[in-house]
Each structure stands twice: as structure tokens, then as C-alpha cells.
């Protein structure tokens, strides 16, 4: 094989075998006029489309642009479905299992997506994208897939240094790739390394191999190409790391700021709650104090009214109190009353006087401060009440000629 190197692209060329097999050379030659016609027609349509897009309404222009493209070399198909079918067919045809006499083998971990998504994933991961364009009818394809692509050293190298994408050139997605970033295969098998660096205008071709190549040769070419682009990759990774660190720092600062705001808000809420609790306690205390003052004033009012009532009663009873009889009168009845403060007051009544007269006498005493009370005799024990026993004479009440009564408050 003859190798040539240009700029950052390394191209290894064996014999320039076209896409179709040797048996279809005549058909390929005969198809040249048709391809020229299609190319001219396509160019004319693109020019017309550019003119019409400036004239036609935007809604119609969008519908025209949304129509599926017409390609030569493959039908319009779902790129994800095509990628999955390629991977399944590749593994089924070229990967050996443990039962094989030659031993088990593996294949590159081809991404099950479109080549555009694969380029985006390589950009995100800051890795090279290894591209394999599969020409199933080419005579070198099977041997290249088995001996080179499925070689354990190649598989390990790709797993460490790149993401892998493969496509069958008979499908539209792989066919469209043959115009991206300088990917212009003139012979098959065809592999390439693409770099989709951040900040670049688009993916760039780093290395391409056209024609069959053994594992050692492929590894040598890829190692050299990656080494030449190492500074670019490391710079991209450094920029990514710097951005990630800056983002993490901003996130930490934002989180700290939000935490500080939340802490301030919590302190303010706690302070407001404390102030509200203090206000509630103060209002409760003031209400209780006001209620206590009102109750005290009411008690004072009632006490003042009670004392005034006692004073009026004392004066009234003093004016109407029956005259005291002589102690040596044969009908005299001496009644002694023991008051709550321990003092004794006595008065001589006539035995015909009523118990109510004794109550009137007690009502005139300064020591008496109750409105309702009873008078109790010990021997025999009897409780005299104003309402029930007021009309009983002292003789009938057993208080003649002398009696001792105890004052008992009924308030």
C-alpha cells in the first residue's frame, strides 16, 4: 500500500477500488451520463430554490425545505434504524463467539445513532469519532472487518481514544456523510478519524484510510494522527474542565447565596414569630390584668355597696330596736351573742320578745359585717334563722331566762 500525509489528514491508499464490484464496471460507466444529468439538475434546483425562497411566502418555503432530500446512492431511511441494523448485521457476520474454532472476538462499540448525533456525542465527550463506511459488495470488506476492525488491539484502542460510528454506504445517512469534513472516499474499505472540537466551525478530518489495511498499520496511522492532535484535545478538555469548575463554583456560590438568603429569611421569620408571640403574650397579659382590675374594681364596688348596706341596716335597726328591759325583771331574758372576732355582746329582752328582735340587736353591732347569718344555741342545740324562726318568742325558743348564741355567717 502507498501512504501519503497532508496537513493533519493521513490517508492510506491501496488500489482505488470503486464502490461497486468489478462486474459492474460497465454499468458504472454507462451510468456516468445519468449522474451528470442528476448533478446538473440538482444544481439547477438549488439555484431555483434559493430564488424562490426569497419570493415565496415563508410558510411555503418551510414546507419545501421540509421535504426529504433526493439522494443518489441510497434510499431515504431512518438513520437510527439504519445504524441499529448495521450494528446487528456486523456483529452477526463478523464477530466470533466462544464456540468458534478461531476463538471469540469483539467489535468496535458502534453508536446506534445517526452520524450527526455521533458527532455531537464525540463533541460532548471530547473524543475523536472513528468512522467506518461499510461497502458490503466490495471484495476486501469481509477480510478487513474480520482481521482489522475486529482485532482486539484495534477494539481496545478505539475504546480508549475514540467513539465509533459505522454505516452501510447503501443507506442515506452513510451516503450523506461522504461530504462532511472532507470525507470523500475514493476506495473501500474506508475509515477515518473526525474531530468535532468546541468552538470550531464544524467537524474536521484528522485521518483517513482508503483501502484494506492490517491492524498494525491502522493502529500506527491512528496513533500518529491522535498524537498530532493531542494538544488540541488537551486544550479542549482543559477548557471544558475550566468551564465545569467555573460552573461548579458558580453553583456553589449560588447555593451558598440561596442558603444565606434562606437563613436570613428564617431569622426574619423567627424574629417575626418571636415578636408576634411577645405581642400575643403582652396582649394576653394586658387582657388578664385588665380583667383582674375590672374584677378587683367590681369586688371593691360590691364591698363598698355591701358595707354601705350594712351601715344603713345598722342605723335603721338601731332606730327601731326594742327597748332593753331591766335585768332583774321577772320576765327578763338575757341573751349573750358570741361574735366571730371572739367578743361577746349581750342584751336583756323580755321573754315575750321574738327571736327577730335578737337578730335586730345583732344587726346594730359594729363587729357584724355579714348580711346573712344564723344564731346557734348549744344546749339544746338549735339553729335560729331570721326568716324561719323570727316570729318565735324567746320563751318558746327555750332562751329564757338566759341563753348563749353563736354567730354563724351564711354569706
Amino acid at each position: 500500500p502507498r501512504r501519503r500525509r497532508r496537513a493533519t489528514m493521513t490517508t492510506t491508499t491501496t488500489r482505488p477500488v470503486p464502490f461497486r464490484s468489478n462486474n459492474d464496471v460497465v454499468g458504472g460507466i454507462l451510468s456516468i451520463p445519468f449522474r451528470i444529468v442528476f448533478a446538473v439538475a440538482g444544481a439547477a434546483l438549488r439555484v431555483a430554490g434559493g430564488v424562490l425562497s426569497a419570493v415565496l411566502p415563508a410558510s411555503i418555503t418551510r414546507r419545501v425545505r421540509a421535504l426529504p432530500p433526493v439522494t443518489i446512492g441510497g434510499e431515504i431511511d431512518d438513520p437510527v434504524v439504519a445504524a441499529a441494523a448495521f450494528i446487528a448485521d456486523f456483529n452477526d457476520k463478523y464477530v466470533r463467539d466462544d464456540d468458534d474454532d478461531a476463538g471469540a472476538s469483539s467489535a468496535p462499540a458502534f453508536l446506534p445513532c445517526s452520524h450527526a448525533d455521533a458527532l455531537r456525542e464525540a463533541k460532548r465527550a471530547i473524543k475523536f469519532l472513528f468512522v467506518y463506511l461499510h461497502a458490503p459488495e466490495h471484495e476486501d470488506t469481509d477480510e478487513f472487518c474480520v482481521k482489522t476492525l475486529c482485532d482486539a488491539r484495534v477494539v481496545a484502542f478505539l475504546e480508549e481514544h475514540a467513539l465509533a460510528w459505522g454505516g452501510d454506504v447503501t443507506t442515506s445517512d452513510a451516503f450523506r456523510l461522504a461530504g462532511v469534513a472532507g470525507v470523500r472516499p475514493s476506495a473501500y474499505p474506508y475509515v477515518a478519524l473526525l474531530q468535532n472540537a468546541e468552538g470550531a466551525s464544524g467537524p474536521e478530518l484528522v485521518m483517513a484510510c482508503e483501502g484494506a489495511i492490517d491492524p498494525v498499520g491502522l493502529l500506527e496511522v491512528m496513533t500518529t494522527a491522535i498524537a498530532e492532535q493531542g494538544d488540541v484535545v488537551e486544550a479542549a478538555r482543559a477548557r471544558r474542565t475550566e468551564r465545569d469548575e467555573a460552573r461548579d463554583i458558580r453553583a456553589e456560590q449560588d447555593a451558598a447565596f440561596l442558603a444565606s438568603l434562606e437563613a436570613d429569611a428564617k431569622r426574619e421569620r423567627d424574629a417575626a414569630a418571636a415578636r408576634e408571640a411577645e405581642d400575643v403574650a403582652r396582649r394576653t397579659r394586658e387582657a388578664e390584668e385588665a380583667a383582674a382590675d375590672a374584677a378587683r374594681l367590681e369586688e371593691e364596688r360590691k364591698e363598698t355597696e355591701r358595707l354601705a348596706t350594712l351601715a344603713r341596716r345598722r342605723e335603721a335597726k338601731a332606730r327601731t330596736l326594742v327597748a332593753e328591759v331591766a335585768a332583774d325583771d321577772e320576765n327578763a331574758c338575757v341573751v349573750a351573742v358570741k361574735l366571730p372576732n371572739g367578743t361577746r355582746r349581750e342584751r336583756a329582752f323580755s321573754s315575750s320578745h321574738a327571736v327577730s328582735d335578737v337578730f335586730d340587736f345583732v344587726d346594730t353591732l359594729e363587729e357584724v359585717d355579714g348580711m346573712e347569718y344564723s344564731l346557734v344555741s348549744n344546749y339544746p342545740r338549735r339553729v335560729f334563722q331570721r326568716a324561719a324562726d323570727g316570729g318565735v318568742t324567746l320563751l318558746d325558743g327555750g332562751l329564757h331566762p338566759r341563753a348563749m348564741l353563736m354567730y354563724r355567717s351564711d354569706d
Side-chain angles (χ1 to χ4, degrees), residues 27-38:
I29 294 174
L30 294 176
S31 66
I32 291 176
F34 296 98
R35 293 178 181 272
I36 295 175
V37 172
F38 282 129

Side-chain angles (χ1 to χ4, degrees), residues 172 199 205 253 344:
S172 59
L205 182 65
Q253 292 174 342
R344 288 179 52 182

Side-chain angles (χ1 to χ4, degrees), residues 376-387:
V376 182
S377 64
N378 288 331
Y379 304 105
R381 179 175 177 76
R382 183 172 178 178
V383 177
F384 293 96
Q385 294 181 335
R386 188 192 303 266

Side-chain angles (χ1 to χ4, degrees), residues 250-332:
R250 287 195 301 272
E252 292 176 358
Q253 292 174 342
D254 293 343
F257 180 69
L258 291 177
S260 176
L261 290 179
E262 178 59 26
D264 293 341
K266 184 178 184 301
R267 283 193 294 271
E268 181 59 28
R269 290 194 300 270
D270 293 343
R275 290 193 298 269
E276 179 63 21
E278 291 178 359
D279 291 342
V280 171
R282 177 181 55 78
R283 290 194 296 270
T284 302
R285 184 173 60 255
E286 291 175 352
E288 292 175 349
E289 291 175 354
D293 291 342
R296 178 178 54 79
L297 292 175
E298 179 65 16
E299 289 296 326
E300 291 177 354
R301 183 191 65 77
K302 290 181 178 180
E303 180 65 14
T304 300
E305 183 178 346
R306 187 182 70 83
L307 293 177
T309 300
L310 285 174
R312 289 193 297 271
R313 186 182 70 174
R314 188 179 299 116
E315 294 174 358
K317 292 299 179 70
R319 289 193 299 268
T320 61
L321 185 64
V322 296
E324 184 176 9
V325 300
D328 55 356
D329 189 298
E330 62 179 4
N331 293 321

Side-chain angles (χ1 to χ4, degrees), residues 131-251:
V131 171
Y132 167 57
L133 296 182
H134 183 71
E137 299 180 9
H138 196 280
E139 61 185 1
D140 293 332
T141 294
D142 292 344
E143 182 178 359
F144 177 75
C145 291
V146 172
K147 293 185 177 181
T148 300
L149 289 185
C150 292
D151 184 87
R153 294 166 294 179
V154 174
V155 172
F157 183 89
L158 292 177
E159 183 177 356
E160 180 179 358
H161 297 285
L163 301 178
W165 183 88
D168 191 322
V169 293
T170 62
T171 61
S172 59
D173 193 37
F175 185 81
R176 281 195 294 267
L177 179 59
V180 175
V183 178
R184 296 181 178 86
S186 60
Y188 294 90
Y190 180 89
V191 294
L193 277 179
L194 300 180
Q195 185 179 45
N196 194 19
E198 293 184 357
S201 59
E204 299 176 355
L205 182 65
V206 175
M207 177 278 297
C209 286
E210 298 173 293
I213 187 172
D214 60 27
V216 176
L218 179 59
L219 288 172
E220 178 184 350
V221 173
M222 289 193 298
T223 301
T224 302
I226 289 177
E228 291 176 352
Q229 296 295 320
D231 293 341
V232 177
V233 174
E234 290 303 321
R237 289 175 179 167
R239 289 193 299 271
R240 174 72 63 82
T241 301
E242 183 178 355
R243 285 198 304 273
D244 291 345
E245 291 176 351
R247 184 183 64 249
D248 293 341
I249 291 175
R250 287 195 301 272

Side-chain angles (χ1 to χ4, degrees), residues 329-342:
D329 189 298
E330 62 179 4
N331 293 321
C333 179
V334 180
V335 178
V337 179
K338 189 174 182 179
L339 300 174
N341 61 1

Side-chain angles (χ1 to χ4, degrees), residues 353-375:
H353 286 164
V355 172
S356 61
D357 293 328
V358 179
F359 275 95
D360 291 342
F361 165 66
V362 175
D363 288 341
T364 64
L365 300 177
E366 293 290 340
E367 298 87 348
V368 175
D369 61 355
M371 294 297 297
E372 300 293 335
Y373 58 91
S374 300
L375 298 175

